[in-house]
Every structure is written in C-alpha cells, then in structure tokens.
Amino acid sequence: MGAKHTEQALQDREARLRLLFDQMPGILWSVDQDLRFTSSVGGGLRALGLQPGQVVGMTLFEYFQTDDPAFAPIAAHQQALNGEVSGYEFEWEDRTFQTRVEPLRDGNGAITQAVGVAFDITEARSARDALRESEHRYRTLFEQSRDAIYVSTLGGALLDFNPSMLSLFGYSGEEMRQLKAEKLYADPADRLRFREAVEREGYATDYEVKLVAKDGRAMDCLVSSTAQYAEDGSLAGYQGIIRDITKRKQAEETLRKEKEFSEAATGSLPGLFYLFDEEGRFLRWNRNLERVSGYSSDEIARMQPLDFFTGDDKRIIAESFEEVFRKGHTAVEADLVSKDGTSTPHLFTGTMVTLDDRRCAVGAAIDVVERRRLEQQLRQSQKMEAVGQLAGGVAHDFNNVLTVVLSNSELLLRAMGPQDPRREELQDIREAAHRAASLTRQLLAFSRKQVLKPQVLNLNEVVVNVEKMLRRLIGEDIELVTMFEPQLWAAEADPGQIEQIVMNLAVNARDAMPDGGKLSIETGNVELDETFARSHYPIVPGRYVMVAMCDTGEGMDAETRSRIFEPFFTTKKLGKGTGLGLSTVYGIVKQSGGYIWAYSEEGLGTTFKIYFPRVEREAESLEPASVAPDPVSGSETVLLVEDNESVRTLARRILENEGYEVIEAHNAAQALLSGGRHEGRIDLLLTDLVMPEISGRELAEKMSGLRPEARVLFVSGYTDHAVLESGPWSAGAGFLQKPFTPDSLARKVREVLDGAQPHKDRATDT
C-alpha cells in the first residue's frame, strides 16, 4: 500500500509539474553530453510551432541546422556541460529569446546534462526599443529645442536643463546647477504666484513674467510648467518650458506705437481721411469725417462714399471713383452733405492702393470754403490794383491838361480888370479846374501815386488834432466817443493823410446815420497771428497799431461791402457824393503799408479797422502847418525839361514873368545837350519825372556830374515818394504836384533855390 501510494504521489507531482511547465510562458529543456534534447516543455513552444517533447532526440546542431560549434546556443550549452552558467539573447523564427543555461549534476556532483530556460522577449524588447526611441527623441527635442526646458525640485533646485536654458540666461551648466529658480525671476513673488497656479491646476500655460539673465538684463518670457509627482502621489517637482518673447514684445510695442502714430496722424489731419475698397465699403476713416458729416462711426461703416453727395455732385464723385481705379489717382471738388443737410465744399483726392489683394482707394479731403474766400479776396485785390493803375494813368494825363487850364485861368484873371464882363466866366472855369484837380488827387490817393511825407507818429495825437473839427462835421445829433490806448505803439505815416482818413470815414459814418447815432474812434495795440492772416488776405502776421471807427448807422449788405473801396462806386443819391471818399482812404492806407477791413451788416452799423505796422522808434511831435510864403521873383537860370508842349510853354511863361532866365528842353537828351553848351551858371533843373526814354530821375543823376551847382525840382502828375528818397541828389530835390498854379510854381522854385546847399556839395560832405 505504502509503495503504491508513494508511486502515485510521484506521478501526481510529475503531472502537476508538467502542467505547470506546459503553461509557463517560457521554454524549459535539457540536453545530454551529446547535446541531444532529453526534454522540452513550456507554453513558449507554441510560439515556435512546436509541441512539448517534439524535439527530444534531436541534437542542437540538427535543430538549429548548423555545424558551427561557436554558434551562441551551442556554445552556451557546451559551457554548461563544462560547468559554467551562461546566458544569451538570440533571434529564432522571427522571435527574440532571453536564454539561461546551467549544468545539471547527479548525486555525486558529476555533470550529466545541461538545463536551459528561455523566455520570449519579442514584445518586451519591442516595447523597450520603443521606450529607448522615445527617450532618444525626447532627449533630442530637449537638447535641440529653441525654448529653454528645465526640471526642478519643489525647492527650486534645477535638476536638468537644456542648452537653450544656458544660452537664454548666460550661465554655465555648473553655475545653473548651483542656482535656485527664484534667482531667475525679476520679482520673486512672480515665482510664488506661478507655483500656486501649477499646484492648483497641475499645470500653468503661457504665464508671462519678467526673468533676469546673468548680466542683469531683464527679459519678457512666457513660462509653461507641469507638476511632477512621486510614486506616493505627492508633488515632487516641476518640468517647464521658457520662451523669450522680449523681441516679440518690442515688436508689438513698436507696432502699437506705429498704430497709435498712424491713428494720431490721420486723426490730426486738418481735413478728412478715408479708405474704401472697389465695392465702396469704408475700411477706415478719421474722426473729422464723423464730425463734419454728423454721422456716427457705426453709421459710416454701413454707408458708401456716394451717400455723402446729392444732385450733380453725386455724378461728379461717381466719375472720380471710376477714374481713381482706372488711372490710379483723382482730384475733384464737390459739396459734402452732412446728416443735417448742410453742404460744405471740399477738394477730394484719391490714390489707388492694393491691400490684401483688394484694390482700394485712399484719400483726403480739405474744406475749400476758406480757399474760395481767399480767391475772391485775391480777385478783388487784383481788380483794385488794376483799377488803381488805370486811375493813376488817367490822373497823370488829366493833370497835364488841368495844369494848362488852371494856370492860364490864373494868368488871364491877373490880366483882367475887376469890372471885365468875362471875369465871372473865367472864374467859373478856374473853380471847375480846381474841382477836377481835387478829383485827380483822390484818384492818385486811391492808386497810391501821391507824394507822402511820413513820420513816426502817435496816432492818438492825430485823432485829437482833428477831434474838434469832427464834432462840427458830424453834427450835434451824433455822439462822438474816443477810446485811446494810453501806451499806443508808434506807426509811420503822413499825419495829413491820416487826418484825411479820419475825416473821410467820419463823413461816411455821418451819412449812414441821418437820424443821429454814435460814432466811436478807438486805438489799440494788436498782434495778428497766422490764423487771422489766413482769413484776412493779404495781411501778414505781426504787431500793428489799430485805428477803429464804428458807427450805429444803416450798415451794408455783402454785395455793397465787396465794392465800397472801388472808385466812383457810391450808394448815395445823385449829387451827394463822388464815390471817391473810401477809395481815397483805401489808397492812403495801402501806400502807408497798412491794411483796412470793413465789418458791416444791414441795420447793425459799420466798423472800419485800420492796421498800420508798428515801428520801434519814438514818435515825433506834430508840428503846426507852416504858412506858405508870398511868391518871390528871381533872376536865376532854370533848365526847364517837359515833354508836354502845352505844360512846358506855360511853365516857361510863368517863370519868365517872375524874372527867371529859362533854358527850354522837350526831353532829357536835349536837356543834357543844352546844359552842356550853356556858358553860364544853371541854378535849377526843373524837370518832369515821367518822360520817355530817360526819366527825370535819371536826368538829375546825369546833371549832378555835369552841373553840380544846380538844384533839382521834380514835377509830375503822380509819383511814388520812394523816387525822391534815393540817390545823392535826393536831399537837395523838391517836388511839385500837377496841376500847379502860377503861384504854386513860383513859390516852389523860390523855395528850392533858397534852400540848403546844392546836392553835389552835400553828397561830398557825407
């Protein structure tokens, strides 16, 4: 029983072992001294297509089909039979095996067999290779990444980092290992906040902070980090990536500033700015478009350019749009209609550009209301200049005629007895000539061709001098009010002409207030800026002395205001005025270097403002007008030069009647010839200023060398006072305005002859 039971137990044990070996994933086998399989079991056999015990009886050489004793499996078994334990990996039947072979000894310790065990590691090796490949790829990315990558402990010790980390911060590897992470932060508090974010969520992405390099350079960086956990689930450290965005931030800042500049530039444009595509969709505009049009930004975004125009202007603008996309540019004037219906003329320009492969038009528009007004002022100024030239020319020629009529009337009246029946008619002729002479003087004033005697003035004194006369002139029913600037600057002008300006404007104001009113005269110091100058062409910015005269009369409409300075234009009834009063004022102001402006509305009165340039010199005291001396005869020799025969003949008769010896010449060439031939002394050169070929001025210059003893008296129907202010002869020269009378000619000749030393001597003295 006992033996049987033991045998059964051994069989059961062997069966269980065989079952265990058959189910094991590996292979177990044994070979004898001849390298012949004595057993083979294990579930791994199935992977090779074998059954347990199928190879028993085969040698290793037969199984592996080789006769090479150095073949690894054969050599390993031979080593085991020699008492050595060996192991190896080998591939067989597309599988990879990890093998271990050991010697098997009997009870006496002798080696009887070699026992081997092998496990199929094909899948494990693939996984291991994949892991190695993954680790290699990760390391490659880690090492070659342009972003800095690090691994740190909870305390901030840097365990690992890539070359970009060293390059970014400028540390060596050894230095980096000695650092704490918080040392890399410009503000250590940023790291604490960053850690809290990572610990709260397990990660943090694109956390923007300021980091500091070894050289102290601050950098804008984006940090992303992931928490690293230990096997027990506790937080062990951090793995993160740092990206330097300093240049990007700088580029963004540059772009932001450029955008701000672009918006500021377009926003500060004095006109309108717009950008729209070929379909007419607005892409961009400045606030001026919103302000001028009255439409909001949202409304403009839904509008098209043509929506701002009506009528014929819409057609003009539509054609200009076609032109800009056809020719590349356009410029056109049209009236922009705002939301409330107001129309404003603008000059619109456009240039074609390409944006994002779309054809667009970019342009600007400027308000041309001011330009049109300035153009109108320029045309008015040019018209006044043309009329002035015409008036001056007419006055010059007419003065020659009046000189003959007036002087001959005087001579005839002298020759007639008091009872002569023709005397009354002749006096009428003389008075008519005087009135005509007055008209020509006004025309000369308008055309700025009269002779002025400017001096540095305090205009307050000029107004005070004529104030009493003004009160009598305007009448008791008009209140006269004066408001003087006590510290009034000085101006340079002819005081007599300034008085005439005040008188003429006062008369004009009186006629505008038939039922009485108030006339105010004000003086002041003003500084006119660019803004004022732009709206008051052709005035230039600067410091001026202002005289303003304001009445409470009937006022004027715009049409009348545009013509008030034109000669012979008047709104007064026939016979009540010549229309030369304001023209005279205009001419005097202009010739004095000043400007005059009229402000008036119907029913609200009129204000005239006159601006004279300030001078830095002290004002001179006004001297009372001297009484002209009685005519004085003489016996000196006068060289008379006049191209108008009637005037020349008349002047010769007057001078000869006063006892002078007269040498007569009809032009400058003859005067030089006669002056050179004359053997005696020539005391006075009496010459017309305006003559063909050689002017009176040029003649005087030539005569100064030929006859240094001769004084000079110019005669002319008009001239510019500047003619008398240049040349070595100027200090000894006199001037007589045509038309002259026998008395005025005789007095002026005597005055010049009795004056200071001859011009040549004075020129030498200086």
Side-chain angles (χ1 to χ4, degrees):
M1 266 309 274
K4 200 172 195 178
H5 176 75
T6 300
E7 184 180 353
Q8 183 63 42
L10 289 173
Q11 291 177 352
D12 291 342
R13 179 181 177 188
E14 184 178 350
R16 286 195 299 272
L17 287 173
R18 188 174 296 277
L19 178 63
L20 178 62
F21 287 148
D22 286 342
Q23 292 180 349
M24 64 178 288
I27 304 172
L28 181 65
W29 71 90
S30 61
V31 296
D32 58 15
Q33 291 288 343
D34 296 326
L35 299 180
R36 192 177 301 277
F37 284 103
T38 58
S39 66
S40 64
V41 295
L45 292 171
R46 291 190 291 273
L48 297 177
L50 299 175
Q51 296 296 323
Q54 183 177 344
V55 296
V56 173
M58 294 179 65
T59 65
L60 292 176
F61 291 100
E62 292 172 338
Y63 178 77
F64 288 110
Q65 297 180 2
T66 180
D67 56 3
D68 183 7
F71 181 56
I74 295 174
H77 284 80
Q78 191 62 58
Q79 289 175 349
L81 291 173
N82 292 333
E84 298 179 12
V85 178
S86 63
Y88 60 91
E89 282 187 12
F90 73 97
E91 293 185 0
W92 189 254
E93 302 292 342
D94 297 327
R95 309 296 292 178
T96 301
F97 294 91
Q98 179 69 47
T99 303
R100 180 180 176 86
V101 183
E102 296 183 8
L104 180 64
R105 300 177 186 273
D106 59 14
N108 297 320
I111 298 174
T112 60
Q113 295 188 71
V115 179
V117 62
F119 292 94
D120 188 346
I121 61 169
T122 303
E123 284 75 13
R125 186 175 183 183
S126 296
R128 183 190 63 188
D129 291 345
L131 179 60
R132 287 176 179 172
E133 179 64 24
S134 175
E135 289 177 347
H136 176 71
R137 286 197 302 269
Y138 165 77
R139 198 67 195 179
T140 300
L141 290 174
F142 181 84
E143 296 291 339
Q144 297 181 357
S145 172
R146 296 175 63 182
D147 293 329
I149 304 175
Y150 67 91
V151 177
S152 71
T153 65
L154 282 177
L158 295 166
L159 302 176
D160 199 5
F161 37 80
N162 66 348
S164 293
M165 182 84 169
L166 300 176
S167 175
L168 177 62
F169 289 96
Y171 290 104
S172 67
E174 185 61 29
E175 290 173 327
M176 187 67 75
R177 290 185 184 90
Q178 302 302 318
L179 285 177
K180 293 289 186 180
E182 64 183 22
K183 296 295 185 181
L184 303 178
Y185 285 78
D187 183 0
D190 279 342
R191 182 172 185 269
L192 295 177
R193 287 189 288 269
F194 181 52
R195 281 183 56 185
E196 290 173 359
V198 175
E199 292 171 6
R200 184 172 55 251
E201 302 292 337
Y203 65 92
T205 304
D206 292 343
Y207 193 87
E208 188 170 334
V209 292
K210 285 275 189 183
L211 300 181
V212 182
K214 179 180 178 180
D215 59 8
R217 175 173 43 90
M219 301 175 291
D220 292 296
C221 296
L222 289 179
V223 183
S224 299
S225 183
T226 303
Q228 302 294 302
Y229 298 96
E231 293 182 0
D232 60 1
S234 62
L235 183 63
Y238 311 95
Q239 180 176 346
I241 299 176
I242 302 173
R243 174 167 294 176
D244 183 2
I245 60 170
T246 304
K247 291 183 178 179
R248 191 189 81 185
K249 293 279 286 186
Q250 291 173 345
E252 289 174 351
E253 179 65 13
T254 300
L255 183 62
R256 183 188 65 79
K257 289 181 178 179
E258 288 180 352
K259 183 178 180 182
E260 286 182 356
F261 173 78
S262 176
E263 291 177 350
T266 57
S268 64
L269 288 174
L272 313 180
F273 171 81
Y274 41 82
L275 173 69
F276 56 89
D277 61 19
E278 200 166 4
E279 284 71 42
R281 291 186 294 262
F282 278 105
L283 305 179
R284 193 170 180 184
W285 59 89
N286 63 352
R287 292 193 179 277
N288 276 348
L289 181 59
E290 299 172 20
R291 180 182 58 80
V292 171
S293 70
Y295 291 102
S296 68
S297 178
D298 290 339
E299 289 173 320
I300 293 176
R302 296 191 297 270
M303 298 174 69
Q304 290 198 337
L306 291 179
D307 295 338
F308 293 99
F309 304 92
T310 60
D312 201 42
D313 282 342
K314 179 173 283 192
R315 176 189 57 80
I316 293 173
I317 293 297
E319 292 175 353
S320 73
F321 288 171
E322 294 176 1
E323 184 178 45
V324 75
F325 290 113
R326 186 176 68 254
K327 295 183 177 180
H329 57 83
T330 188
V332 65
E333 285 192 21
D335 288 353
L336 184 144
V337 181
S338 63
K339 190 174 183 179
D340 63 5
T342 304
S343 296
T344 309
H346 281 77
L347 172 63
F348 295 90
T349 62
T351 301
M352 191 183 74
V353 296
T354 301
L355 297 175
D356 299 328
D357 298 326
R358 285 191 298 175
R359 297 204 308 170
C360 301
V362 61
I366 57 172
D367 185 333
V368 295
V369 171
E370 182 66 14
R371 193 196 74 186
R372 290 184 180 179
R373 190 184 64 78
L374 290 175
E375 288 175 349
Q376 184 179 4
Q377 288 182 349
L378 177 60
R379 286 193 294 270
Q380 179 70 10
S381 176
Q382 291 172 335
K383 180 177 74 173
M384 297 292 281
E385 288 291 331
V387 173
Q389 291 290 335
L390 176 62
V394 170
H396 171 259
D397 292 338
F398 196 43
N399 273 335
N400 283 331
V401 177
L402 287 176
T403 298
V404 176
V405 174
L406 191 58
S407 294
N408 278 306
S409 298
E410 291 283 355
L411 293 174
L412 286 173
L413 284 171
R414 289 183 186 180
M416 286 183 180
Q419 304 301 322
D420 193 312
R422 297 170 296 173
R423 188 176 184 85
E424 184 176 353
E425 287 84 354
L426 195 55
Q427 286 176 334
D428 289 342
I429 293 174
R430 184 184 62 178
E431 291 304 317
H434 275 299
R435 289 195 298 273
S438 177
L439 290 175
T440 58
R441 281 194 298 273
Q442 289 178 302
L443 285 174
L444 289 171
F446 169 73
S447 59
R448 288 166 271 166
K449 300 297 184 181
Q450 61 182 339
V451 177
L452 300 182
K453 297 179 180 178
Q455 65 183 79
V456 180
L457 303 172
N458 183 319
L459 296 182
N460 288 345
E461 294 183 23
V462 179
V463 178
V464 169
N465 282 350
V466 296
E467 189 173 350
K468 290 183 179 179
M469 187 184 303
L470 287 179
R471 294 188 185 278
R472 292 194 301 270
L473 182 66
I474 62 178
E476 296 181 355
D477 58 344
I478 296 178
E479 179 186 5
L480 178 62
V481 178
T482 56
M483 294 169 286
F484 297 137
E485 164 60 49
Q487 302 298 322
L488 192 66
W489 295 332
E492 188 172 24
D494 186 325
Q497 298 297 328
I498 299 300
E499 290 178 359
Q500 185 175 351
I501 289 174
V502 175
M503 297 289 288
N504 283 3
L505 291 178
V507 169
N508 214 59
R510 179 199 65 190
D511 294 342
M513 297 182 287
D515 299 324
K518 180 179 178 180
L519 173 62
S520 302
I521 304 178
E522 178 186 357
T523 62
N525 302 323
V526 296
E527 189 160 356
L528 306 180
D529 58 16
E530 291 282 357
T531 302
F532 184 90
R534 282 196 298 270
S535 60
H536 293 76
Y537 177 86
I539 202 168
V540 295
R543 295 180 175 183
Y544 292 85
V545 181
M546 180 200 70
V547 178
M549 296 186 66
C550 178
D551 66 58
T552 58
E554 299 168 344
M556 297 176 284
D557 59 21
E559 175 63 24
T560 302
R561 284 200 312 274
S562 68
R563 301 188 60 193
I564 55 174
F565 296 124
E566 294 180 13
F568 305 114
F569 174 77
T570 180
T571 58
K572 298 175 183 178
K573 294 180 180 180
L574 186 63
K576 295 295 183 180
T578 61
L580 287 172
L582 290 178
S583 301
T584 302
V585 170
Y586 177 85
I588 295 172
V589 171
K590 288 292 185 180
Q591 193 171 353
S592 302
Y595 303 92
I596 182 170
W597 295 93
Y599 306 88
S600 183
E601 290 187 32
E602 289 184 283
L604 298 178
T606 300
T607 296
F608 286 93
K609 288 189 176 181
I610 306 170
Y611 302 94
F612 294 104
R614 177 192 180 181
V615 295
E616 300 295 338
R617 302 193 301 277
E618 292 292 328
E620 305 169 21
S621 299
L622 295 179
E623 298 179 358
S626 58
V627 178
D630 293 332
V632 178
S633 299
S635 58
E636 291 91 343
T637 300
V638 178
L639 176 57
L640 172 63
V641 189
E642 170 63 60
D643 62 322
N644 186 289
E645 185 176 359
S646 298
V647 177
R648 187 174 69 251
T649 301
L650 174 65
R652 177 179 54 77
R653 287 170 52 199
I654 294 172
L655 293 174
E656 287 178 343
N657 286 343
E658 295 295 339
Y660 296 99
E661 180 184 352
V662 180
I663 304 172
E664 194 174 348
H666 65 272
N667 59 29
Q670 186 181 11
L672 290 171
L673 184 62
S674 299
R677 288 177 177 176
H678 185 69
E679 295 182 357
R681 177 187 176 91
I682 295 180
D683 300 285
L684 178 68
L685 171 64
L686 174 61
T687 178
D688 191 7
L689 257 176
V690 181
M691 295 186 296
E693 297 182 2
I694 300 177
S695 69
R697 171 181 170 171
E698 293 173 306
L699 173 60
E701 290 175 339
K702 294 178 182 296
M703 286 295 292
S704 67
L706 186 64
R707 292 287 182 170
E709 76 279 6
R711 291 172 170 81
V712 180
L713 174 59
F714 291 110
V715 182
S716 182
Y718 69 91
T719 188
D720 185 334
H721 70 280
V723 172
L724 305 178
E725 294 179 352
S726 59
W729 41 268
S730 58
F735 180 77
L736 179 63
Q737 178 84 42
K738 293 179 182 179
F740 55 77
T741 65
D743 284 348
S744 64
L745 176 60
R747 282 198 304 270
K748 197 66 180 181
V749 168
R750 193 70 261 160
E751 177 187 325
V752 174
L753 288 172
D754 293 341
Q757 298 179 37
H759 54 82
K760 186 65 177 181
D761 297 339
R762 289 193 298 275
T764 303
D765 292 342
T766 58

